[in-house]
Amino acid sequence: MKKFVNDPDHFVAEMLEGLVLANADTLKYVPEYNLVYRADMPSDEKVSIVQGSGSGHEPAHVMAVGRGMLDAAAPGGVFSAPPVEYCLECLKRMNSAKGVLYLVNNYQGDRMNWDMAREIAEAEGIKVGVVVIDDDVAVQDSTHTVGRRGVAGNFFVIKAVGAAAERGASLEELVALGDRVNKAVRSMGVALSSCTPPAKGTPIFDIGGDEIEMGVGIHGEPGRSREKIAAADAIVETLFQAVHTDLPFNGGDRVALMINGLGGTPVSELYLLYRKAAQLCKDNGLEVVKNYVGEYCTSLEMAGASLTLLKLDSELETLLDAPAQVPIRVF
Amino acid sequence: MKKFVNDPDHFVAEMLEGLVLANADTLKYVPEYNLVYRADMPSDEKVSIVQGSGSGHEPAHVMAVGRGMLDAAAPGGVFSAPPVEYCLECLKRMNSAKGVLYLVNNYQGDRMNWDMAREIAEAEGIKVGVVVIDDDVAVQDSTHTVGRRGVAGNFFVIKAVGAAAERGASLEELVALGDRVNKAVRSMGVALSSCTPPAKGTPIFDIGGDEIEMGVGIHGEPGRSREKIAAADAIVETLFQAVHTDLPFNGGDRVALMINGLGGTPVSELYLLYRKAAQLCKDNGLEVVKNYVGEYCTSLEMAGASLTLLKLDSELETLLDAPAQVPIRVF
């Protein structure tokens, strides 16, 4: 295993310590629960927005904690759901008179643990709402899911409900908004390589030197097909076709287009992919109003990328344009 | 070779097309010269700030073109200097009554081509200044350099002179400022893996499964030593020690601390490295006033990272805090 790590069992804790050291003025940290939260939250003036899933997908979700995005994140270990007590502590600490909304990507472990935490929290008088994200069109059921997986489209749910929460939206309004975003967003990914969880020490799947996994999951779950590597444009066509026909998107739609890196692919290649994706949008009459090229939801150091399309409306465009302040800043 | 690419000879052009498609409102593009520039520049009210080096280091430098940063970039092919005519076209297009400042990392090819372009431009009446960046403490001379290499510290020069240029500084003031930043910044990197230029198709160097290259250059140039991989904290100590003793930095100094990913290392690992680097700063009495964790100057998909320290003063702190707007945006 070749990565920057000390004791593999401390990988997540040491990453979180680094994150909080780098943002000491805005973030607080409760090590016992892997809990990272906004130093100025909770507030009874605002619904708290929280999320927690397996680690290894950074910047999702701990690096999305900040004004206009998440109020807290409570990640589990690498590729493993946060325990119930992490979820519960997160709900309790972020308790607000307006309620707490948790966002959960559709994986059985995450959903089960958050559901149990929700039951306990509600019994203690906390008002809790949930939005489930399942934007990955690759396969219907998967290794860890009944139904579709949640992947990079999750970003758009965070951004929309995060912005609306800052404007004072109610819990019920935010649940409806989050569900609406989830229904309007579709993604699919492709892997050029596997990745190695620190505590496992070996790759999560084998893949040949000339192969790609089309429709891969962010935990290395099988996709639609194992294929020989093709030209970048052909790969983008396959991703675009799968996403475009699924909603379906129609000529005249205004969309947000995201090319998300899976962790080991440099941004130069992501822009090369964006070029073809933008051309395909144009060819199909889609107007790309907003674009996102970079890493949003990764799979450790996996080489690969995903393509996400979100169908916009005027409210969503306004929410995506709203200010946000998160730990990840580039310039 | 396993990467997202069509024709390797079109790799840079297709990346630039993607970048410009994604920023059609703010960037202009002259394909014949790989020239990307701000749509609202040049202006006789402001010195133009430009840079061009080999591609493969993105976001440096084409993705640093924007308000408060670079006005234009004219990259060459992957790991090869921009031809003289690219540099010259860049200087001509960005000609301003206040002058044009080019920033050049200390590599022989880059410096020679920019110098020749400068001579021609000056003969045509263009006022040109230059700042050379050589922040890499790893080795004194290197494969492509007489003297030290320029690496991620370059970002701080861009940010400082970019901000000062927006405030109306003269060419002479900007040259002095750029030189001052370069004298105050030190970096060193480490590679866990090699990388593969698209047109070459094979890795630029061989490295064993349990080896690291300490002090690596961003084109895979040899560093100080080939070592067995160690714990992340021990690697950070080596990087920090090399950088810290070189300036030297002293207790009480206010500093900016950057952990820069080399392209294939996920941000989770970068924050794990940041944790130790921040601790070492504290142990040595350095106050980390600003921090940067992410990718600033990469080497294609190389797994690895570099550590940069900049000694601050009140003027530099103000300039680093100035607004900037570049194509790379995360949230």
Side-chain angles (χ1 to χ4, degrees), chain A residues 131-187:
Chain A
V131 172
V132 178
I133 296 108
D134 60 352
D135 57 311
D136 187 346
V137 306
V139 293
Q140 184 51 37
D141 297 316
S142 188
T143 316
H144 308 293
T145 63
V146 175
R148 290 178 166 185
R149 302 176 296 227
V151 290
N154 176 65
F155 161 79
F156 291 109
V157 180
I158 298 176
K159 184 72 180 73
V161 302
E166 295 288 342
R167 295 169 183 205
S170 71
L171 183 58
E172 294 70 24
E173 289 167 337
L174 293 173
V175 168
L177 172 65
D179 286 340
R180 191 158 72 78
V181 175
N182 183 55
K183 286 194 175 70
V185 68
R186 296 292 188 277
S187 302

Short mmCIF file of all heavy atoms in Angstrom, two decimals, chain A residues 131-187:
data_model
loop_
_atom_site.label_atom_id
_atom_site.label_comp_id
_atom_site.label_asym_id
_atom_site.label_seq_id
_atom_site.Cartn_x
_atom_site.Cartn_y
_atom_site.Cartn_z
N VAL A 131 -33.69 13.53 3.62
CA VAL A 131 -33.71 13.45 2.16
C VAL A 131 -32.75 12.34 1.75
O VAL A 131 -31.60 12.33 2.20
CB VAL A 131 -33.28 14.78 1.51
CG1 VAL A 131 -33.13 14.61 -0.01
CG2 VAL A 131 -34.28 15.88 1.81
N VAL A 132 -33.24 11.41 0.94
CA VAL A 132 -32.41 10.31 0.44
C VAL A 132 -31.96 10.64 -0.98
O VAL A 132 -32.78 11.06 -1.80
CB VAL A 132 -33.18 8.98 0.46
CG1 VAL A 132 -32.31 7.85 -0.10
CG2 VAL A 132 -33.66 8.66 1.86
N ILE A 133 -30.67 10.45 -1.24
CA ILE A 133 -30.13 10.77 -2.57
C ILE A 133 -29.77 9.47 -3.29
O ILE A 133 -29.06 8.63 -2.74
CB ILE A 133 -28.89 11.68 -2.46
CG1 ILE A 133 -29.29 13.04 -1.86
CG2 ILE A 133 -28.26 11.90 -3.84
CD1 ILE A 133 -28.83 13.25 -0.46
N ASP A 134 -30.24 9.33 -4.51
CA ASP A 134 -29.98 8.10 -5.29
C ASP A 134 -29.86 8.46 -6.78
O ASP A 134 -30.64 8.02 -7.61
CB ASP A 134 -31.07 7.05 -5.06
CG ASP A 134 -32.45 7.52 -5.45
OD1 ASP A 134 -32.62 8.73 -5.78
OD2 ASP A 134 -33.38 6.70 -5.45
N ASP A 135 -28.83 9.22 -7.11
CA ASP A 135 -28.69 9.79 -8.45
C ASP A 135 -27.95 8.91 -9.45
O ASP A 135 -27.89 9.24 -10.63
CB ASP A 135 -27.97 11.15 -8.36
CG ASP A 135 -26.60 11.04 -7.68
OD1 ASP A 135 -26.53 10.44 -6.60
OD2 ASP A 135 -25.62 11.56 -8.24
N ASP A 136 -27.37 7.80 -9.00
CA ASP A 136 -26.49 7.00 -9.87
C ASP A 136 -27.33 6.09 -10.76
O ASP A 136 -27.96 5.14 -10.27
CB ASP A 136 -25.54 6.18 -9.00
CG ASP A 136 -24.48 5.45 -9.81
OD1 ASP A 136 -24.62 5.35 -11.05
OD2 ASP A 136 -23.50 4.98 -9.21
N VAL A 137 -27.32 6.33 -12.06
CA VAL A 137 -28.17 5.57 -12.98
C VAL A 137 -27.56 4.23 -13.39
O VAL A 137 -28.20 3.45 -14.10
CB VAL A 137 -28.45 6.37 -14.28
CG1 VAL A 137 -29.03 7.74 -13.96
CG2 VAL A 137 -27.20 6.51 -15.16
N ALA A 138 -26.33 3.93 -12.93
CA ALA A 138 -25.60 2.78 -13.49
C ALA A 138 -26.37 1.48 -13.32
O ALA A 138 -26.54 0.73 -14.29
CB ALA A 138 -24.22 2.68 -12.82
N VAL A 139 -26.79 1.19 -12.10
CA VAL A 139 -27.47 -0.08 -11.84
C VAL A 139 -28.65 0.16 -10.91
O VAL A 139 -28.68 1.13 -10.16
CB VAL A 139 -26.51 -1.12 -11.19
CG1 VAL A 139 -25.41 -1.53 -12.17
CG2 VAL A 139 -25.90 -0.58 -9.91
N GLN A 140 -29.62 -0.75 -10.95
CA GLN A 140 -30.83 -0.57 -10.15
C GLN A 140 -30.57 -0.90 -8.68
O GLN A 140 -30.83 -0.10 -7.81
CB GLN A 140 -31.96 -1.45 -10.71
CG GLN A 140 -33.28 -1.25 -9.99
CD GLN A 140 -33.69 0.22 -9.87
OE1 GLN A 140 -33.46 1.01 -10.77
NE2 GLN A 140 -34.26 0.60 -8.73
N ASP A 141 -30.07 -2.10 -8.40
CA ASP A 141 -29.65 -2.45 -7.04
C ASP A 141 -28.15 -2.68 -7.08
O ASP A 141 -27.57 -2.89 -8.14
CB ASP A 141 -30.36 -3.72 -6.55
CG ASP A 141 -31.86 -3.52 -6.46
OD1 ASP A 141 -32.30 -2.47 -5.95
OD2 ASP A 141 -32.60 -4.41 -6.93
N SER A 142 -27.50 -2.64 -5.93
CA SER A 142 -26.05 -2.75 -5.93
C SER A 142 -25.59 -3.44 -4.66
O SER A 142 -26.40 -3.86 -3.83
CB SER A 142 -25.44 -1.36 -6.07
OG SER A 142 -24.05 -1.43 -6.25
N THR A 143 -24.29 -3.57 -4.51
CA THR A 143 -23.73 -4.32 -3.38
C THR A 143 -24.29 -3.88 -2.04
O THR A 143 -24.63 -4.69 -1.20
CB THR A 143 -22.19 -4.15 -3.37
OG1 THR A 143 -21.70 -4.28 -4.71
CG2 THR A 143 -21.53 -5.18 -2.48
N HIS A 144 -24.37 -2.56 -1.86
CA HIS A 144 -24.80 -2.06 -0.55
C HIS A 144 -26.14 -1.34 -0.61
O HIS A 144 -26.48 -0.59 0.30
CB HIS A 144 -23.76 -1.07 -0.01
CG HIS A 144 -22.36 -1.61 -0.02
ND1 HIS A 144 -21.96 -2.65 0.77
CD2 HIS A 144 -21.28 -1.27 -0.75
CE1 HIS A 144 -20.69 -2.92 0.54
NE2 HIS A 144 -20.25 -2.10 -0.38
N THR A 145 -26.87 -1.54 -1.71
CA THR A 145 -28.11 -0.77 -1.84
C THR A 145 -29.27 -1.62 -2.34
O THR A 145 -29.10 -2.55 -3.12
CB THR A 145 -27.98 0.37 -2.87
OG1 THR A 145 -27.72 -0.19 -4.17
CG2 THR A 145 -26.89 1.34 -2.51
N VAL A 146 -30.46 -1.27 -1.86
CA VAL A 146 -31.70 -1.62 -2.55
C VAL A 146 -32.08 -0.34 -3.28
O VAL A 146 -32.22 0.71 -2.66
CB VAL A 146 -32.80 -2.03 -1.56
CG1 VAL A 146 -34.12 -2.26 -2.30
CG2 VAL A 146 -32.37 -3.25 -0.78
N GLY A 147 -32.18 -0.43 -4.60
CA GLY A 147 -32.39 0.79 -5.38
C GLY A 147 -31.06 1.37 -5.79
O GLY A 147 -30.00 0.76 -5.60
N ARG A 148 -31.12 2.55 -6.32
CA ARG A 148 -29.91 3.17 -6.88
C ARG A 148 -29.02 3.75 -5.79
O ARG A 148 -29.48 4.14 -4.72
CB ARG A 148 -30.32 4.28 -7.85
CG ARG A 148 -30.94 3.72 -9.12
CD ARG A 148 -31.38 4.84 -10.04
NE ARG A 148 -31.65 4.31 -11.38
CZ ARG A 148 -31.96 5.07 -12.42
NH1 ARG A 148 -32.04 6.39 -12.29
NH2 ARG A 148 -32.19 4.53 -13.59
N ARG A 149 -27.74 3.90 -6.15
CA ARG A 149 -26.76 4.47 -5.23
C ARG A 149 -26.80 6.01 -5.29
O ARG A 149 -27.21 6.59 -6.30
CB ARG A 149 -25.35 4.02 -5.64
CG ARG A 149 -25.18 2.50 -5.65
CD ARG A 149 -23.81 2.06 -6.15
NE ARG A 149 -23.54 2.41 -7.53
CZ ARG A 149 -23.03 1.57 -8.45
NH1 ARG A 149 -22.76 0.30 -8.12
NH2 ARG A 149 -22.80 1.98 -9.67
N GLY A 150 -26.36 6.62 -4.22
CA GLY A 150 -26.19 8.08 -4.21
C GLY A 150 -24.73 8.42 -4.40
O GLY A 150 -23.87 7.85 -3.73
N VAL A 151 -24.44 9.32 -5.34
CA VAL A 151 -23.05 9.69 -5.62
C VAL A 151 -22.90 11.22 -5.70
O VAL A 151 -23.44 11.93 -4.85
CB VAL A 151 -22.52 8.94 -6.88
CG1 VAL A 151 -22.34 7.44 -6.56
CG2 VAL A 151 -23.42 9.12 -8.09
N ALA A 152 -22.24 11.71 -6.71
CA ALA A 152 -21.86 13.14 -6.72
C ALA A 152 -23.04 14.10 -6.81
O ALA A 152 -22.92 15.27 -6.45
CB ALA A 152 -20.87 13.41 -7.87
N GLY A 153 -24.20 13.62 -7.28
CA GLY A 153 -25.38 14.47 -7.35
C GLY A 153 -25.76 15.01 -5.99
O GLY A 153 -26.44 16.04 -5.87
N ASN A 154 -25.34 14.31 -4.97
CA ASN A 154 -25.52 14.74 -3.60
C ASN A 154 -25.07 16.19 -3.38
O ASN A 154 -25.68 16.93 -2.61
CB ASN A 154 -24.69 13.80 -2.71
CG ASN A 154 -24.70 14.20 -1.26
OD1 ASN A 154 -25.73 14.17 -0.62
ND2 ASN A 154 -23.53 14.58 -0.74
N PHE A 155 -24.02 16.60 -4.06
CA PHE A 155 -23.54 17.98 -3.92
C PHE A 155 -24.65 18.99 -4.19
O PHE A 155 -24.80 19.99 -3.48
CB PHE A 155 -22.37 18.25 -4.88
CG PHE A 155 -22.14 19.71 -5.10
CD1 PHE A 155 -21.48 20.48 -4.16
CD2 PHE A 155 -22.63 20.33 -6.24
CE1 PHE A 155 -21.30 21.84 -4.36
CE2 PHE A 155 -22.46 21.69 -6.45
CZ PHE A 155 -21.79 22.45 -5.50
N PHE A 156 -25.43 18.73 -5.23
CA PHE A 156 -26.48 19.70 -5.59
C PHE A 156 -27.58 19.76 -4.54
O PHE A 156 -28.19 20.81 -4.32
CB PHE A 156 -27.06 19.36 -6.97
CG PHE A 156 -26.07 19.59 -8.08
CD1 PHE A 156 -25.49 18.52 -8.75
CD2 PHE A 156 -25.69 20.87 -8.44
CE1 PHE A 156 -24.56 18.73 -9.76
CE2 PHE A 156 -24.77 21.09 -9.45
CZ PHE A 156 -24.20 20.02 -10.11
N VAL A 157 -27.84 18.63 -3.89
CA VAL A 157 -28.82 18.64 -2.80
C VAL A 157 -28.28 19.47 -1.64
O VAL A 157 -28.99 20.32 -1.09
CB VAL A 157 -29.15 17.19 -2.35
CG1 VAL A 157 -30.17 17.23 -1.21
CG2 VAL A 157 -29.68 16.37 -3.53
N ILE A 158 -27.02 19.23 -1.28
CA ILE A 158 -26.41 20.02 -0.20
C ILE A 158 -26.49 21.51 -0.52
O ILE A 158 -26.90 22.33 0.30
CB ILE A 158 -24.93 19.65 0.01
CG1 ILE A 158 -24.76 18.20 0.44
CG2 ILE A 158 -24.29 20.59 1.05
CD1 ILE A 158 -23.28 17.77 0.58
N LYS A 159 -26.08 21.87 -1.74
CA LYS A 159 -26.00 23.29 -2.09
C LYS A 159 -27.38 23.94 -2.07
O LYS A 159 -27.52 25.07 -1.55
CB LYS A 159 -25.38 23.42 -3.49
CG LYS A 159 -25.15 24.87 -3.93
CD LYS A 159 -24.01 25.50 -3.16
CE LYS A 159 -23.73 26.94 -3.57
NZ LYS A 159 -24.76 27.87 -3.08
N ALA A 160 -28.38 23.25 -2.60
CA ALA A 160 -29.72 23.83 -2.68
C ALA A 160 -30.34 23.95 -1.29
O ALA A 160 -30.82 25.03 -0.90
CB ALA A 160 -30.61 22.99 -3.59
N VAL A 161 -30.35 22.88 -0.51
CA VAL A 161 -30.99 22.98 0.81
C VAL A 161 -30.14 23.84 1.75
O VAL A 161 -30.70 24.53 2.61
CB VAL A 161 -31.29 21.59 1.44
CG1 VAL A 161 -32.18 20.76 0.53
CG2 VAL A 161 -30.03 20.85 1.82
N GLY A 162 -28.84 23.81 1.56
CA GLY A 162 -27.97 24.66 2.38
C GLY A 162 -28.29 26.12 2.17
O GLY A 162 -28.41 26.90 3.13
N ALA A 163 -28.45 26.52 0.92
CA ALA A 163 -28.76 27.91 0.60
C ALA A 163 -30.16 28.28 1.08
O ALA A 163 -30.38 29.36 1.65
CB ALA A 163 -28.62 28.15 -0.90
N ALA A 164 -31.12 27.39 0.86
CA ALA A 164 -32.50 27.68 1.27
C ALA A 164 -32.60 27.76 2.79
O ALA A 164 -33.37 28.58 3.33
CB ALA A 164 -33.44 26.61 0.71
N ALA A 165 -31.85 26.92 3.49
CA ALA A 165 -31.88 26.97 4.97
C ALA A 165 -31.37 28.31 5.48
O ALA A 165 -31.92 28.87 6.44
CB ALA A 165 -31.04 25.82 5.54
N GLU A 166 -30.34 28.85 4.81
CA GLU A 166 -29.82 30.16 5.22
C GLU A 166 -30.88 31.24 5.06
O GLU A 166 -30.85 32.26 5.75
CB GLU A 166 -28.58 30.53 4.39
CG GLU A 166 -27.38 29.64 4.58
CD GLU A 166 -26.67 29.81 5.93
OE1 GLU A 166 -26.89 30.84 6.58
OE2 GLU A 166 -25.92 28.89 6.31
N ARG A 167 -31.79 31.04 4.11
CA ARG A 167 -32.85 32.02 3.85
C ARG A 167 -34.08 31.80 4.72
O ARG A 167 -35.11 32.43 4.51
CB ARG A 167 -33.23 31.97 2.37
CG ARG A 167 -32.09 32.41 1.48
CD ARG A 167 -32.35 32.12 0.02
NE ARG A 167 -31.16 32.51 -0.76
CZ ARG A 167 -31.18 32.84 -2.04
NH1 ARG A 167 -32.32 32.84 -2.71
NH2 ARG A 167 -30.07 33.18 -2.65
N GLY A 168 -33.98 30.83 5.64
CA GLY A 168 -35.07 30.66 6.61
C GLY A 168 -36.12 29.64 6.23
O GLY A 168 -37.19 29.59 6.87
N ALA A 169 -35.89 28.82 5.23
CA ALA A 169 -36.88 27.82 4.84
C ALA A 169 -37.19 26.88 6.00
O ALA A 169 -36.34 26.61 6.85
CB ALA A 169 -36.37 27.02 3.64
N SER A 170 -38.42 26.38 6.02
CA SER A 170 -38.83 25.44 7.07
C SER A 170 -38.32 24.04 6.76
O SER A 170 -37.92 23.74 5.63
CB SER A 170 -40.36 25.41 7.17
OG SER A 170 -40.89 24.75 6.02
N LEU A 171 -38.37 23.17 7.77
CA LEU A 171 -37.94 21.78 7.57
C LEU A 171 -38.76 21.12 6.46
O LEU A 171 -38.19 20.42 5.60
CB LEU A 171 -38.08 21.01 8.88
CG LEU A 171 -37.60 19.55 8.89
CD1 LEU A 171 -36.13 19.45 8.51
CD2 LEU A 171 -37.84 18.90 10.25
N GLU A 172 -40.05 21.36 6.46
CA GLU A 172 -40.90 20.73 5.46
C GLU A 172 -40.54 21.24 4.05
O GLU A 172 -40.49 20.47 3.09
CB GLU A 172 -42.39 21.02 5.75
CG GLU A 172 -42.91 20.37 7.04
CD GLU A 172 -42.34 20.99 8.32
OE1 GLU A 172 -41.90 22.17 8.30
OE2 GLU A 172 -42.30 20.28 9.34
N GLU A 173 -40.29 22.51 3.95
CA GLU A 173 -39.89 23.08 2.65
C GLU A 173 -38.57 22.50 2.18
O GLU A 173 -38.39 22.22 0.99
CB GLU A 173 -39.79 24.61 2.75
CG GLU A 173 -41.13 25.31 2.89
CD GLU A 173 -41.00 26.78 3.29
OE1 GLU A 173 -39.95 27.16 3.88
OE2 GLU A 173 -41.96 27.53 3.05
N LEU A 174 -37.64 22.30 3.11
CA LEU A 174 -36.33 21.78 2.74
C LEU A 174 -36.40 20.32 2.32
O LEU A 174 -35.69 19.90 1.39
CB LEU A 174 -35.34 21.97 3.89
CG LEU A 174 -35.00 23.42 4.21
CD1 LEU A 174 -34.15 23.51 5.48
CD2 LEU A 174 -34.27 24.09 3.04
N VAL A 175 -37.23 19.54 3.00
CA VAL A 175 -37.40 18.14 2.59
C VAL A 175 -37.96 18.09 1.16
O VAL A 175 -37.47 17.34 0.31
CB VAL A 175 -38.33 17.39 3.57
CG1 VAL A 175 -38.73 16.04 3.00
CG2 VAL A 175 -37.64 17.22 4.92
N ALA A 176 -38.94 18.92 0.90
CA ALA A 176 -39.54 18.94 -0.44
C ALA A 176 -38.52 19.40 -1.48
O ALA A 176 -38.42 18.84 -2.58
CB ALA A 176 -40.76 19.86 -0.45
N LEU A 177 -37.74 20.41 -1.13
CA LEU A 177 -36.71 20.92 -2.04
C LEU A 177 -35.66 19.85 -2.31
O LEU A 177 -35.28 19.59 -3.47
CB LEU A 177 -36.06 22.17 -1.45
CG LEU A 177 -34.85 22.72 -2.21
CD1 LEU A 177 -35.24 23.20 -3.61
CD2 LEU A 177 -34.19 23.85 -1.40
N GLY A 178 -35.17 19.21 -1.26
CA GLY A 178 -34.14 18.19 -1.43
C GLY A 178 -34.64 17.04 -2.31
O GLY A 178 -33.92 16.56 -3.19
N ASP A 179 -35.88 16.62 -2.06
CA ASP A 179 -36.45 15.54 -2.89
C ASP A 179 -36.56 15.99 -4.34
O ASP A 179 -36.32 15.21 -5.27
CB ASP A 179 -37.84 15.15 -2.37
CG ASP A 179 -37.77 14.34 -1.08
OD1 ASP A 179 -36.69 13.76 -0.80
OD2 ASP A 179 -38.78 14.28 -0.36
N ARG A 180 -36.91 17.25 -4.51
CA ARG A 180 -37.05 17.77 -5.88
C ARG A 180 -35.70 17.80 -6.60
O ARG A 180 -35.61 17.42 -7.77
CB ARG A 180 -37.64 19.19 -5.81
CG ARG A 180 -38.07 19.76 -7.13
CD ARG A 180 -39.10 20.87 -6.92
NE ARG A 180 -38.53 22.09 -6.37
CZ ARG A 180 -37.83 22.97 -7.08
NH1 ARG A 180 -37.60 22.75 -8.38
NH2 ARG A 180 -37.36 24.07 -6.54
N VAL A 181 -34.65 18.21 -5.91
CA VAL A 181 -33.32 18.21 -6.52
C VAL A 181 -32.92 16.77 -6.85
O VAL A 181 -32.43 16.48 -7.95
CB VAL A 181 -32.27 18.85 -5.59
CG1 VAL A 181 -30.87 18.73 -6.19
CG2 VAL A 181 -32.61 20.31 -5.33
N ASN A 182 -33.12 15.87 -5.91
CA ASN A 182 -32.73 14.48 -6.16
C ASN A 182 -33.45 13.91 -7.38
O ASN A 182 -32.87 13.16 -8.16
CB ASN A 182 -33.02 13.62 -4.92
CG ASN A 182 -32.57 12.19 -5.12
OD1 ASN A 182 -31.42 11.93 -5.44
ND2 ASN A 182 -33.51 11.24 -4.99
N LYS A 183 -34.71 14.28 -7.54
CA LYS A 183 -35.47 13.77 -8.70
C LYS A 183 -34.97 14.36 -10.02
O LYS A 183 -35.25 13.82 -11.09
CB LYS A 183 -36.95 14.08 -8.53
CG LYS A 183 -37.65 13.20 -7.50
CD LYS A 183 -39.17 13.31 -7.62
CE LYS A 183 -39.86 12.35 -6.66
NZ LYS A 183 -39.70 12.75 -5.24
N ALA A 184 -34.24 15.48 -9.94
CA ALA A 184 -33.82 16.19 -11.15
C ALA A 184 -32.36 15.95 -11.50
O ALA A 184 -31.84 16.54 -12.46
CB ALA A 184 -34.07 17.69 -10.98
N VAL A 185 -31.68 15.09 -10.75
CA VAL A 185 -30.24 14.94 -10.95
C VAL A 185 -29.89 13.48 -11.25
O VAL A 185 -30.47 12.56 -10.68
CB VAL A 185 -29.46 15.48 -9.72
CG1 VAL A 185 -29.66 14.64 -8.47
CG2 VAL A 185 -27.97 15.62 -10.03
N ARG A 186 -28.97 13.30 -12.19
CA ARG A 186 -28.56 11.96 -12.60
C ARG A 186 -27.05 11.92 -12.82
O ARG A 186 -26.47 12.89 -13.35
CB ARG A 186 -29.23 11.57 -13.92
CG ARG A 186 -30.74 11.46 -13.88
CD ARG A 186 -31.22 10.29 -13.04
NE ARG A 186 -32.65 10.10 -13.15
CZ ARG A 186 -33.58 10.79 -12.45
NH1 ARG A 186 -33.20 11.71 -11.59
NH2 ARG A 186 -34.86 10.54 -12.62
N SER A 187 -26.43 10.80 -12.43
CA SER A 187 -24.97 10.65 -12.52
C SER A 187 -24.59 9.26 -13.01
O SER A 187 -25.35 8.31 -12.83
CB SER A 187 -24.32 10.84 -11.13
OG SER A 187 -24.63 12.09 -10.57
#
